Amino acid sequence: FRNLTIGIAGLSVGSHIALTISMMGGSKNMVLADPDTVGPSNLNRIRATALDIGINKAIVTAQQIYQIDPYANIVVLENGVDESDISSFFEQLPLGLLIEETDKLSLKVKLREEARKRRVPVVMGTDNGDGAIIDVERYDLHNNLQIFNGLIGDITSESFEKFPPHELPKLATKIAGAELADPRMKDSILAVGKTLYSWPQLGDAATLCGVAIALIARRVACGQTIREGKFPINIDSVV
């Protein structure tokens, strides 16, 4: 686990994953990529403070990792992943696992294509009300696996570019897993732009994603069995 090299694209939910892995004594080598800076609206779900507002999210996360693990080796990409040169993200350090938490659909597709080519497993966590939805794609075990585990068919970056803009929300819904969405989450989405600034993203859900994916990363490193595909983690069902 300590020697597993992890790339994390997207450092909102991704920051929780990176920090939890570090607290567990995991990966000393990480590549962190995010072009955005911390803003006031991030503070309900990112382990940052008002003093971090305006600082790049990947830099903030790297600083916190070094405070936990001074021996870490962190590559920070302040401009995020270059969509025109996806391979460079994978070659900063030889990745053994990709954690994908970006917002752009075309980038999600291209990252998975490159991961499949390099046989690098991909994990994604999506906050879902007070819970989370986890995606596990084992390209290291199945080199012919369709991206997103086939949720949107045998799509490629070339075919994705041909999709008309009005079809993209449908694709995003399939990828996110609308059938698994918390009912209150669905209700809240209807209020976006009216009484809500954006879709609900809560600190407990982001933290839960960090815990779940850090555990998955450890199991990947140790060669243990992991559930594949898309599945929910629902704390409400327990408590």
Side-chain angles (χ1 to χ4, degrees):
F1 188 27
R2 178 72 169 155
N3 292 319
L4 175 68
T5 301
I6 297 179
I8 304 180
L11 272 301
S12 289
V13 166
S15 65
H16 289 269
I17 300 165
L19 294 171
T20 305
I21 287 170
S22 290
M23 285 188 287
M24 292 169 67
S27 306
K28 63 183 177 184
N29 299 311
M30 292 190 197
V31 180
L32 308 180
D34 197 312
D36 294 333
T37 58
V38 175
S41 65
N42 297 137
L43 299 183
N44 73 319
R45 65 185 185 278
I46 294 182
R47 296 179 195 177
T49 72
L51 298 178
D52 298 313
I53 290 173
I55 302 175
N56 178 271
K57 292 177 182 177
I59 289 178
V60 171
T61 304
Q63 289 173 336
Q64 293 174 332
I65 289 173
Y66 281 125
Q67 290 168 358
I68 297 168
D69 179 8
Y71 300 99
N73 175 34
I74 310 297
V75 175
V76 174
L77 302 179
E78 293 181 60
N79 295 320
V81 179
D82 183 354
E83 214 171 328
S84 65
D85 185 17
I86 294 292
S87 62
S88 65
F89 174 70
F90 288 81
E91 292 167 358
Q92 298 289 327
L93 297 170
L95 299 187
L97 176 67
L98 167 62
I99 295 168
E100 192 278 303
E101 299 292 342
T102 65
D103 296 325
K104 194 174 181 182
L105 284 178
S106 59
L107 182 55
K108 288 178 177 289
V109 172
K110 289 179 180 178
L111 281 168
R112 282 165 172 77
E113 284 185 321
E114 189 69 22
R116 181 172 59 187
K117 183 169 71 175
R118 296 172 182 268
R119 305 201 70 167
V120 174
V122 178
V123 184
M124 177 176 72
T126 306
D127 42 13
N128 183 30
D130 292 309
I133 299 172
I134 306 298
D135 287 82
V136 178
E137 299 165 62
R138 296 301 304 269
Y139 300 116
D140 54 326
L141 302 179
H142 319 292
N143 62 345
N144 292 318
L145 181 68
Q146 293 181 352
I147 65 172
F148 301 112
N149 287 300
L151 282 175
I152 55 176
D154 194 14
I155 194 171
T156 64
S157 53
E158 290 79 11
S159 61
F160 178 83
E161 291 174 0
K162 297 176 183 177
F163 272 92
H166 67 272
E167 292 290 334
L168 296 182
K170 294 181 182 177
L171 286 180
T173 300
K174 287 183 179 180
I175 292 169
E179 73 284 356
L180 300 176
D182 184 282
R184 293 179 66 206
M185 186 78 165
K186 293 179 182 178
D187 292 341
S188 295
I189 289 174
L190 299 176
V192 172
K194 299 173 184 176
T195 58
L196 292 179
Y197 169 74
S198 181
W199 68 89
Q201 294 178 282
L202 306 178
D204 57 350
T207 301
L208 183 60
C209 282
V211 172
I213 295 180
L215 175 59
I216 289 170
R218 190 180 71 189
R219 295 184 72 89
V220 166
C222 296
Q224 297 172 321
T225 302
I226 305 165
R227 182 175 176 181
E228 298 178 38
K230 181 185 291 290
F231 51 89
I233 299 177
N234 188 344
I235 297 296
D236 271 336
S237 66
V238 178
V239 301

